[in-house]
Amino acid sequence: MQFLSWLLALSLAFAPRAFAQSDPGSRYGQVPPAAAPSLPAAPLPELGDASSADLTPQQERRLGEAVMREIRRDPQYLDDPEIAEYLNGLGGRLVAATPGARQDFEFFGIRDSSINAFALPGGFIGVHTGLITASDNESEIASVLGHEVAHVTQRHIARQIGIQKQMQIPMMIAMAAALLLGRSRPDLAAGASTAVQAGAVQSQLAFSRDFEREADRLGFQALNGSGFDVRAMAEFFEKMQRYSRLMDSGVVPTYLRSHPVTTERISDAQARTQGMPFRPHVDTLEYHLVRARLRAEAMDPVDAVKTFTAAVNDRRFANEPGARYGLAVSYMRAREYKRAEAEIALLRAGKTDSPMIDTLAARARLGQGDAEGALALLRSALARHPHRRSVLYATLDVLQGLGRFDSVLATVAEPMRLYPREARLYEARARAYAGLGKRLLQHEAQAEVYQLQGNLPGAIEQLQFAQGAGDGNFYELSAVDARLKELRAEHAREMKEGRKPF
Ligand SMILES: [Zn+2]
């Protein structure tokens, strides 16, 4: 399903954002932006030769990274390890069941109430929170993600650009940047983009019907191969069609504009289930918790408390722990921490165990000014769930808040060995060094953040700052020099290689 060609990701700039902005409480769980050096102006990718054939996989990745750098700066980007962990777990199941999925995928949330998901070049897949909150089961979300994964593995974006290559790439990138920057940099966007121009680019880049059909077909296979309920795809299409009849504007315009649910798509999806055994999928606890949390956050806190209280009292829920967790989240947002803790205690009494409950419990402690209590809860959770990075990041945040910078550094050491490509770990390290006043080491760590995000010029600049910091010893300086040499060579290579990378 969806949905969008990659450029429609940029329709972010036009998406309804009432929820995202009217409710500061909805940023619950979000880690404040690192006290890292301010971002350098995002370098526009270099275009290379737009007249040549399809994009190479490397160019696709660079293009995707360039767009991601813009998206990460957008307030609607859900910089939330818990949601990201859930989406990547779910998406990873589908990727594993998709033939030919060789590259890295990164699934991320966008706080937007419309029902949507989109693929960017290079394996970045954005999921609107509205898709999760509107779902009735996990297989519905999986049916959408499977479709998006197929757009990536089939290289539809590169092929699409190949099909209409004349002059398009420079225009698309200019538009991409302008649309995204339009949020925060009206000076740059003024005149560069209008909704009309953007609409023109969007319609030119919408995937062809053949690509959509192929993504539906392969998405269905992935759904089946990863053990989800294959009927969910047709059911979700039908639900979309009902929505589209009900609303002529508001909730689903993006979806309707780009991906009309045709009778053909529905009947194709139904036909594929013919003769397949009925195999219901049991939704994960995490799905119920994530959906409840996002639903609670989409409402005003008082309404959320009322809604979830009624659901729990009248036993109107699909999943009791989900409803109770939603109530606990609602109490948190209403700053009724004791009541949130009472719900958490009931969840635990019912033997519901999830790292999401642990981190919520820690936040309830933090809300009452008890950072030490929060830390103790998180430490114990981390011992039970050593690989849950959402718990790790919550722990690092509390340590940072307590000023225990040395503990931050000690805590990230082992995870950095296990997950050397995780930018957030380097970010934590950079913040800790900033707290310790060690400037060379701070910039050195920040350089790795940028390098991992595909921003070599930004990384090189950080290393130059590190050279000039004046507080490093001989060995530290030598390490910075060596790394700078490496990254400069890598950058030069990229600039030189045949068609220039983005
Ligand atoms: Zn599609």
Side-chain angles (χ1 to χ4, degrees):
M1 172 142 4
Q2 155 41 264
F3 295 100
L4 306 183
S5 79
W6 69 270
L7 197 75
L8 290 192
L10 311 168
S11 72
L12 284 175
F14 302 113
R17 39 196 80 242
F19 278 103
Q21 293 190 324
S22 63
D23 182 8
S26 73
R27 299 179 72 81
Y28 150 87
Q30 199 160 346
V31 181
S38 65
L39 292 163
L44 263 186
E46 310 223 357
L47 299 182
D49 179 2
S51 68
S52 50
D54 298 356
L55 299 180
T56 65
Q58 293 72 24
Q59 286 175 315
E60 257 194 278
R61 184 74 186 182
R62 285 290 184 225
L63 182 52
E65 282 168 341
V67 179
M68 278 310 291
R69 285 200 289 280
E70 300 300 331
I71 289 181
R72 287 198 188 94
R73 296 142 70 103
D74 192 291
Q76 278 184 287
Y77 171 70
L78 206 47
D79 185 17
D80 184 311
E82 230 161 45
I83 304 293
E85 199 159 50
Y86 172 68
L87 289 175
N88 282 289
L90 177 62
R93 281 173 69 181
L94 291 152
V95 169
T98 303
R102 277 185 293 270
Q103 75 258 65
D104 290 341
F105 276 80
E106 181 177 334
F107 296 82
F108 59 94
I110 294 287
R111 199 174 293 277
D112 187 316
S113 63
S114 62
I115 299 167
N116 214 350
F118 53 82
L120 295 171
F124 300 96
I125 292 180
V127 182
H128 285 201
T129 49
L131 173 65
I132 300 169
T133 54
S135 68
D136 285 314
N137 58 64
E138 202 163 25
S139 296
E140 289 183 348
I141 304 176
S143 76
V144 174
L145 298 193
H147 175 106
E148 295 307 321
V149 168
H151 275 317
V152 174
T153 56
Q154 294 308 108
R155 307 201 60 233
H156 285 165
I157 295 149
R159 286 158 65 191
Q160 188 86 3
I161 291 173
I163 287 166
Q164 18 178 318
K165 57 194 165 207
Q166 72 299 4
M167 62 54 86
Q168 292 283 8
I169 295 181
M171 181 183 166
M172 289 184 318
I173 291 176
M175 188 64 73
L179 288 178
L180 285 161
L181 291 172
R183 291 295 310 276
S184 51
R185 301 281 301 272
D187 52 321
L188 284 186
S193 81
T194 66
V196 175
Q197 282 172 309
V201 174
Q202 281 178 3
S203 62
Q204 281 167 356
L205 287 174
F207 287 132
S208 72
R209 285 177 70 107
D210 285 345
F211 285 173
E212 289 306 333
R213 227 176 267 129
E214 187 172 50
D216 277 351
R217 184 171 57 78
L218 293 170
F220 183 89
Q221 283 174 14
L223 198 61
N224 188 35
S226 49
F228 289 100
D229 180 356
V230 290
R231 296 164 309 163
M233 189 180 242
E235 282 167 10
F236 200 65
F237 281 150
E238 283 176 332
K239 191 196 276 184
M240 290 293 88
Q241 206 173 43
R242 285 198 299 278
Y243 271 121
S244 70
R245 292 205 190 102
L246 282 174
M247 340 226 160
D248 38 21
S249 68
V251 181
V252 288
T254 325
Y255 173 81
L256 285 180
R257 263 204 319 270
S258 57
H259 265 67
V261 181
T262 60
T263 318
E264 183 200 330
R265 293 185 80 198
I266 296 176
S267 56
D268 281 354
Q270 281 167 342
R272 289 189 184 104
T273 64
Q274 294 297 315
M276 296 184 78
F278 172 63
R279 193 185 56 188
H281 173 262
V282 179
D283 293 332
T284 60
L285 171 65
E286 211 176 357
Y287 163 72
H288 289 294
L289 301 185
V290 163
R291 187 180 62 171
R293 200 194 116 184
L294 293 175
R295 283 181 176 173
E297 290 173 7
M299 283 181 263
D300 155 75
V302 177
D303 289 342
V305 168
K306 270 190 210 148
T307 304
F308 280 99
T309 302
V312 168
N313 290 345
D314 307 344
R315 304 193 61 78
R316 280 187 295 101
F317 43 65
N319 173 275
E320 180 164 2
R324 205 169 280 292
Y325 177 80
L327 180 55
V329 170
S330 305
Y331 277 137
M332 274 295 296
R333 296 188 56 232
R335 297 176 188 275
E336 298 195 48
Y337 303 116
K338 291 272 184 236
R339 289 192 160 155
E341 286 180 332
E343 294 304 321
I344 292 167
L346 286 171
L347 279 167
R348 288 191 163 143
K351 301 269 182 269
T352 308
D353 181 31
S354 162
M356 289 182 69
I357 296 170
D358 295 320
T359 48
L360 186 67
R363 288 191 187 103
R365 286 281 97 208
L366 279 179
Q368 297 167 87
D370 178 15
E372 293 295 346
L375 187 59
L377 286 171
L378 289 168
R379 288 255 194 236
S380 132
L382 202 53
R384 277 178 290 124
H385 306 280
H387 298 294
R388 293 301 293 251
R389 274 162 288 167
S390 52
V391 181
L392 171 66
Y393 295 134
T395 310
L396 293 172
D397 284 343
V398 174
L399 287 172
Q400 181 79 15
L402 284 167
R404 294 201 202 144
F405 307 121
D406 286 319
S407 290
V408 172
L409 296 172
T411 308
V412 294
E414 174 67 5
M416 284 177 110
R417 204 180 57 73
L418 291 172
Y419 314 109
R421 299 201 44 79
E422 186 111 340
R424 195 182 275 267
L425 294 172
Y426 288 92
E427 234 160 53
R429 181 182 264 185
R431 279 192 300 175
Y433 280 131
L436 290 168
K438 297 190 172 177
R439 297 189 54 238
L440 176 144
L441 295 169
Q442 175 200 339
H443 290 299
E444 188 184 39
Q446 191 63 35
E448 296 308 315
V449 174
Y450 290 144
Q451 190 270 332
L452 289 169
Q453 292 174 348
N455 178 3
L456 281 179
I460 288 167
E461 186 184 48
Q462 287 298 317
L463 289 171
Q464 289 166 335
F465 291 154
Q467 281 180 326
D471 64 352
N473 63 35
F474 172 77
Y475 297 101
E476 288 164 346
L477 262 175
S478 308
V480 167
D481 291 345
R483 186 67 173 141
L484 184 57
K485 210 170 147 190
E486 248 170 45
L487 293 190
R488 276 187 174 140
E490 189 180 332
H491 188 50
R493 199 164 52 240
E494 287 199 347
M495 300 295 285
K496 210 169 62 186
E497 257 169 21
R499 292 170 294 160
K500 292 176 201 162
F502 296 97

